[in-house]
Amino acid sequence: MRAVDIIQKKRDGLELTKEEIQWLIDGYVAGTVPDYQMSAFAMTIYFKGMTTREISDLTMTMVATGQQIDLSEISGIKVDKHSTGGVGDKVTLILVPLVASFGVPVAKMSGRGLGHTGGTIDKLESVKGFQVERSQEEFIKQVQDIGLSVIGQSDQLVKADKLLYALRDVTATVDTIPLIASSVMSKKIAAGADSILLDVTVGEGAFMKNIEDARRLAQTMVELGKAVGRRTVAVITDMSQPVGTSIGNRLEILEALEILQGKGREDVTHFICELAQIMLSLANVEKTIEEVREHVMNGSALEKFEAMIQAQGGDLEDLYRSSSAQYIVDVTADQSGFISELPAMEFGLFAMRLGAGRAVKSDKLDYETGIVFEKKVGEVVQSGEVVAKIYANQKISEEMLTEFKKNVRIDVERKKVSEIIEVIS
Ligand code: URA
């Protein structure tokens, strides 16, 4: 076989065989198919798409390029969760201990942030001492002992995705359904959980900009999961504005703690309780939303979170420490009305420039910086009222402040928002 023929076949809109997909991916991982041919291949997929059968073959080929985690030593139905990326997305930090507080084991591998999106692993690493690298034995033992663990993704898992994602990131080929579905599902399948909850984000700050594409991505991933015997449910969630109130590693840890103490915003708390209810149901544990909420209000979920922080070497005192950012700058509204838009991507990029995110993989993070919103979309604001606070370790110039304000859009009409837009199972 020759890579050029496979690229040409896809370029001409034809369906590839399993053998052709396998040959190309295996060759790429082995180093015999170069980056330039793989980028051309990714671009043909961007324009020509793939059939369900091709996506399934691509996914399973990718799974086979790395280690597959065996979680069978952990008793019970293991559930996992994955988000297709967001801004201010601290959901995992709350959801995982909440689900674990019902005795459902959660063994989760999470990623790091890149560009406007944040990563759970970076947020956890903002806690002094917290270890995200664990051997498979330690990972499994911790879940057996305390019911939960969140670690960084093993280097050995889905090697094809590591290479391919880095390539897609610099060749404008990330936001295409076949490549997102195979990337996400290959990792979820290799990570070994029995059931999977997929959070498919949609909106300005997400890869999927409209509901139709989000639905197609969700359906594709649910089918991939089911085809290999994993119970899979996808929720389509809003990413037109950041999740909750904060963006930035330390700031998001603090917001997660607030929610786990029952003192968080009602909308985010309710949203996470709904996700927990679905995840529990994937493990055959049926609970009402009130029963789930009770585990937030009575501290059971917080207890699990603290247990995880301690088990992975984190310092509990440091966990509750406020941000040490040198400058805290109030941003006030220039007019009265209702907040109509807080574009997630723009604020994600703004936080990245403060050091809260990475422009390139090798960037070092400043855990203390970011943004805390005092107002969210749909809420009333008076001229001169504080809309957000910027946490920075650099002076915020007038130019930056103007740019920030430009993105706080205020209207005379109240806009309605809902976190979960659709559930696909
Ligand atoms: N998240 C992933 O893991 N992969 C993608 O391709 C996009 C989002």
Side-chain angles (χ1 to χ4, degrees):
M1 277 192 224
R2 295 192 318 158
V4 63
D5 298 327
I6 299 173
I7 298 165
Q8 186 174 341
K9 191 171 171 186
K10 182 48 57 191
R11 185 202 68 188
D12 295 342
L14 301 172
E15 191 174 354
L16 300 177
T17 65
K18 181 179 178 179
E19 291 68 31
E20 285 165 332
I21 293 171
Q22 227 162 22
W23 185 90
L24 200 69
I25 296 295
D26 288 348
Y28 184 53
V29 173
T32 52
V33 171
D35 273 353
Y36 55 83
Q37 285 186 310
M38 205 58 200
S39 5
F41 181 64
M43 195 56 91
T44 61
I45 293 175
Y46 185 94
F47 284 110
K48 298 292 174 171
M50 274 185 147
T51 63
T52 308
R53 205 263 313 141
E54 284 177 302
I55 300 174
S56 167
D57 287 340
L58 174 61
T59 305
M60 296 319 287
T61 299
M62 286 171 69
V63 171
T65 61
Q67 181 190 24
Q68 291 177 53
I69 312 279
D70 179 3
L71 297 178
S72 60
E73 280 177 55
I74 304 166
S75 53
I77 300 174
K78 278 77 65 184
V79 288
D80 197 352
K81 174 252 170 191
H82 191 94
S83 158
T84 56
V87 178
D89 186 351
K90 69 278 301 168
V91 170
T92 292
L93 299 173
I94 306 141
L95 184 61
V96 167
L98 179 54
V99 169
S101 74
F102 284 90
V104 171
V106 191
K108 174 152 175 53
M109 291 188 180
S110 280
R112 294 190 182 278
L114 191 63
H116 70 286
T117 63
T120 301
I121 284 302
D122 297 323
K123 293 164 201 179
L124 286 167
E125 270 186 339
S126 76
V127 180
K128 196 165 128 198
F130 190 88
Q131 300 293 311
V132 299
E133 275 168 35
R134 306 296 254 191
S135 69
Q136 200 175 319
E137 294 71 37
E138 286 170 322
F139 180 49
I140 289 175
K141 178 154 189 336
Q142 184 176 317
V143 181
Q144 282 169 331
D145 289 347
I146 64 166
L148 76 169
S149 181
V150 178
I151 62 168
Q153 195 184 297
S154 150
D155 274 349
Q156 301 308 311
L157 206 78
V158 195
K159 288 186 188 156
D161 184 58
K162 278 229 148 53
L163 295 169
L164 197 49
Y165 196 90
L167 192 71
R168 288 165 58 206
D169 196 40
V170 291
T171 54
T173 50
V174 170
D175 48 346
T176 172
I177 290 173
L179 295 182
I180 297 179
S182 53
S183 162
V184 169
M185 291 311 290
S186 60
K187 286 180 287 200
K188 292 296 105 179
I189 293 166
D194 306 297
S195 302
I196 304 160
L197 172 66
L198 300 164
D199 179 355
V200 178
T201 50
V202 63
E204 195 264 356
F207 291 127
M208 298 293 106
K209 304 293 180 204
N210 61 63
I211 184 70
E212 291 76 25
D213 285 346
R215 203 175 280 140
R216 277 201 300 136
L217 175 60
Q219 276 160 352
T220 305
M221 293 197 291
V222 167
E223 275 164 32
L224 284 171
K226 285 187 176 166
V228 289
R230 313 289 170 96
R231 281 179 78 182
T232 310
V233 171
V235 287
I236 299 176
T237 64
D238 177 53
M239 195 51 71
S240 58
Q241 65 170 336
V243 179
T245 53
S246 55
I247 307 173
N249 300 285
R250 159 83 10 208
L251 298 170
E252 290 188 47
I253 288 278
L254 292 169
E255 187 185 354
L257 286 169
E258 224 173 69
I259 296 168
L260 286 165
Q261 288 166 326
K263 298 186 288 196
R265 277 178 68 99
E266 173 49 34
D267 53 359
V268 203
T269 306
H270 184 75
F271 162 55
I272 295 173
C273 286
E274 284 186 297
L275 292 183
Q277 196 185 17
I278 298 171
M279 251 177 114
L280 288 167
S281 163
L282 279 168
N284 294 336
V285 176
E286 303 300 337
K287 295 285 168 193
T288 64
I289 201 82
E290 291 74 25
E291 286 169 323
V292 175
R293 176 183 283 272
E294 186 52 24
H295 275 219
V296 174
M297 296 304 158
N298 68 15
S300 309
L302 177 64
E303 206 176 291
K304 279 285 169 201
F305 185 60
E306 287 186 349
M308 180 180 84
I309 295 291
Q310 275 189 306
Q312 291 180 229
D315 178 341
L316 271 196
E317 226 172 273
D318 190 73
L319 176 67
Y320 287 90
R321 175 180 61 78
S322 344
S323 158
S324 66
Q326 237 179 309
Y327 302 97
I328 302 175
V329 180
D330 284 349
V331 184
T332 53
D334 284 339
Q335 64 184 95
S336 299
F338 294 98
I339 305 282
S340 62
E341 272 175 71
L342 292 172
M345 169 93 80
E346 302 304 327
F347 289 113
L349 291 172
F350 192 95
M352 184 188 87
R353 279 161 53 202
L354 299 173
R358 297 181 184 84
V360 291
K361 250 187 176 154
S362 54
D363 280 352
K364 220 174 147 345
L365 294 179
D366 183 341
Y367 293 132
E368 309 301 314
T369 59
I371 304 165
V372 176
F373 292 94
E374 307 244 314
K375 301 277 177 188
K376 295 289 305 282
V377 171
E379 292 177 6
V380 69
V381 64
Q382 304 301 330
S383 175
E385 207 178 347
V386 176
V387 175
K389 287 180 189 292
I390 301 172
Y391 287 69
N393 276 321
Q394 68 198 60
K395 273 218 159 98
I396 301 298
S397 64
E398 276 308 313
E399 218 180 340
M400 277 182 91
L401 204 56
T402 309
E403 187 196 318
F404 192 105
K405 280 193 178 192
K406 192 185 77 200
N407 287 314
V408 176
R409 307 200 181 128
I410 298 172
D411 205 341
V412 288
E413 273 178 42
R414 182 192 290 268
K415 197 166 163 182
K416 226 176 141 345
V417 276
S418 72
E419 275 80 13
I420 295 184
I421 297 166
E422 213 167 293
V423 179
I424 291 173
S425 58

